[in-house]
Amino acid sequence: MNSDVNISGTSLVYKIKGELDDHMAVKSRERIDDILLRREIKNIIFDFTELTMMDSAGIGLIIGRYRIIKDRGGEVLLVIGNSPAKKILRMSGLMKIFKAYDNLDAALTAVEHRVYG
Amino acid sequence: MNNYMSIRFKSVSENEALARNCIASFVSPLEPTMEDMADIRTSISEAVTNCIVHGYDGKIGMVEMSAYTEGKKLTIKITDRGCGIHNIDKARQPLYTSKPETERSGMGFTIMESFMDSVKIISKEGKGTTVIMTKNIRENTEVSDAG
Ligand SMILES: Nc1ncnc2c1ncn2[C@@H]1O[C@H](COP(=O)(O)OP(=O)(O)OP(=O)(O)O)[C@@H](O)[C@H]1O
Ligand SMILES: [Mg+2]
């Protein structure tokens, strides 16, 4: 599967490579929600830096995970870099709702400061 | 050059990539910019996904896709023989989805309309839906790596 999962403290880093369409969104949803059930995750960081395409299924994936995470007092962060997904994220207003970062380190630093600082 | 192609495929989500790749190869002789190519791929994805999740609603049917180019103008036609759309004006509205219980955002048509030059929807309840999209491929001024 074209995705990597990494857990850093209470944050789940989910990296998707290639194309995020309906097919990939369903698979990602299953994989993330399974981890959310089993682990004490507060924040989800979507790493889209190696994404080459995203359609509306990606919007659904992000908002759906946010609904789960917000009940735990956590948040969703987006790492976008130069991904073409930027256009859709901006169009759909998601860039206004979620914090977006250029690289993963910046997003990880941001959550760590919030949790421990 | 003017060109034409057509394919039919099963309404399963694996074929969303097939449809995107097929059109990408078809338009590549027109040397679209990376942005135009991404816009086209995304729009195809939206239209084909709608056939699969709404038109056939998880049941198996055939999706038909054809495309032609006239000079720099690309036209793509995507058809399902599924349930059809009751109210097209409503379906086009941003954030409208008939499946709010699933993770749909109702942004599909809005994305197609913003990424393509024109989007036409022809639909009949109980008969199916056809979406016709056009895009004029812009002159590519991106410096190629080849030189
Ligand atoms: N091929 C189709 N057959 C039947 N109904 C359709 C078809 N395409 C779209 N629709 C209807 O139009 C509505 C709007 O479509 P649109 O793609 O904009 O949003 P969505 O598919 O519901 O959500 P999203 O695309 O954001 O996942 C759909 O909810 C559905 O009711
Ligand atoms: Mg849709």
Short mmCIF file of all heavy atoms in Angstrom, two decimals, chain B residues 143-147:
data_model
loop_
_atom_site.label_atom_id
_atom_site.label_comp_id
_atom_site.label_asym_id
_atom_site.label_seq_id
_atom_site.Cartn_x
_atom_site.Cartn_y
_atom_site.Cartn_z
N VAL B 143 10.08 24.97 -18.93
CA VAL B 143 11.35 24.57 -19.54
C VAL B 143 11.49 23.06 -19.40
O VAL B 143 11.33 22.51 -18.32
CB VAL B 143 12.53 25.27 -18.83
CG1 VAL B 143 13.84 24.94 -19.53
CG2 VAL B 143 12.30 26.77 -18.79
N SER B 144 11.75 22.39 -20.50
CA SER B 144 11.89 20.93 -20.41
C SER B 144 13.30 20.55 -19.95
O SER B 144 14.25 21.29 -20.16
CB SER B 144 11.57 20.26 -21.75
OG SER B 144 12.72 20.24 -22.54
N ASP B 145 13.38 19.40 -19.30
CA ASP B 145 14.67 18.94 -18.79
C ASP B 145 15.58 18.43 -19.90
O ASP B 145 16.78 18.29 -19.73
CB ASP B 145 14.46 17.81 -17.78
CG ASP B 145 13.70 18.29 -16.56
OD1 ASP B 145 13.86 19.47 -16.18
OD2 ASP B 145 12.94 17.50 -16.00
N ALA B 146 14.96 18.16 -21.05
CA ALA B 146 15.67 17.47 -22.12
C ALA B 146 16.91 18.21 -22.60
O ALA B 146 17.95 17.61 -22.86
CB ALA B 146 14.72 17.23 -23.29
N GLY B 147 16.79 19.57 -22.72
CA GLY B 147 17.91 20.33 -23.22
C GLY B 147 18.97 20.37 -22.17
O GLY B 147 19.98 20.84 -22.16
#
